[in-house]
């Protein structure tokens, strides 16, 4: 009987705690705000406006060894096991005719630095490293300094 009474009291204390938590947190997100803002996961909000991709200017690198940014729109580009739209213009075979930048010679080397006839499988999925340049504000506040700020003259 004593164990049953302790179990009932424990359960009632737990239920009171849950009810109290719901009163203190009516939104249910625990005061945490994501990049989407303070909204429930199930809520749908309007999509952000499309970013502007300036073709007439080149955005400089922000850090050493940064992969070059893509200076054009890539919406609808397929980069999969079956196709790589980037190579239609940027492969060594097509670059001159298309007026595009050639893929770096480093992308034709495997892990042992052997030169391959085609782009190395580890460098085939371009969009893992290269992203379209966009004039977009940072998602969160930060104190990042561009690589130029590190130069000593």
């Amino acid at each position: 009987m004593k164990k049953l009474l302790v179990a009932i009291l424990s359960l009632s204390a737990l239920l009171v705690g849950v009810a109290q938590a719901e009163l203190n947190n009516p939104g249910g997100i625990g005061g945490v705000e994501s990049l989407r803002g303070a909204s429930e996961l199930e809520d749908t909000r309007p999509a952000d406006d499309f970013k502007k991709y300036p073709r007439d200017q080149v955005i400089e690198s922000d850090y050493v060894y940064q992969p070059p940014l893509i200076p054009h729109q890539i919406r609808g580009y397929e980069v999969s096991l079956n196709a790589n739209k980037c190579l239609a213009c940027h492969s060594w075979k097509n670059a001159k005719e298309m007026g595009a930048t050639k893929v770096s010679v480093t992308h034709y080397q495997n892990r042992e630095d052997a030169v391959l006839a085609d782009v190395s499988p580890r460098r085939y999925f371009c969009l893992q490293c290269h992203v379209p340049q966009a004039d977009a504000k940072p998602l969160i506040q930060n104190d990042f300094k561009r690589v130029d700020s590190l130069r000593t003259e």
Side-chain angles (χ1 to χ4, degrees):
M1 185 67 170
K2 187 176 180 182
K3 287 183 182 179
L4 179 61
L5 184 58
V6 169
I8 291 172
L9 289 174
S10 297
L11 182 59
S12 66
L14 180 65
L15 292 174
V16 167
V18 168
Q20 189 65 30
E22 287 177 3
L23 288 175
N24 292 338
N25 186 15
I29 59 171
V32 177
E33 197 169 309
S34 72
L35 295 177
R36 300 181 324 143
S39 62
E40 291 289 336
L41 291 177
E42 296 82 17
D43 292 346
T44 302
R45 66 174 184 79
D48 294 335
D49 291 334
F50 287 117
K51 303 288 186 252
K52 304 287 187 256
Y53 297 98
R55 285 190 72 140
D56 54 345
Q57 73 180 49
V58 175
I59 297 176
E60 297 296 322
S61 297
D62 284 326
Y63 56 92
V64 179
Y65 300 120
Q66 175 183 341
L69 298 172
I70 302 169
H72 57 78
Q73 178 65 261
I74 60 167
R75 180 174 284 249
Y77 275 39
E78 181 179 357
V79 179
S80 67
L81 287 174
N82 300 322
N84 185 325
K85 174 74 171 161
C86 303
L87 295 177
C89 297
H90 295 280
S91 68
W92 279 58
K93 181 175 123 185
N94 300 333
K96 186 173 184 178
E97 179 185 330
M98 299 302 290
T101 305
K102 288 183 196 174
V103 173
S104 169
V105 70
T106 60
H107 289 49
Y108 288 86
Q109 296 171 335
N110 66 12
R111 292 178 192 260
E112 291 78 35
D113 291 330
V115 178
L116 307 172
D118 278 321
V119 172
S120 171
R122 68 186 186 135
R123 299 289 186 103
Y124 180 80
F125 296 98
C126 310
L127 304 178
Q128 286 181 315
C129 299
H130 302 278
V131 296
Q133 65 180 9
D135 189 16
K137 64 179 178 131
L139 293 174
I140 58 172
Q141 278 296 73
N142 64 69
D143 57 359
F144 178 81
K145 292 183 178 74
R146 296 181 67 126
V147 70
D148 292 340
S149 68
L150 302 175
R151 287 192 182 143
T152 57
E153 302 205 26

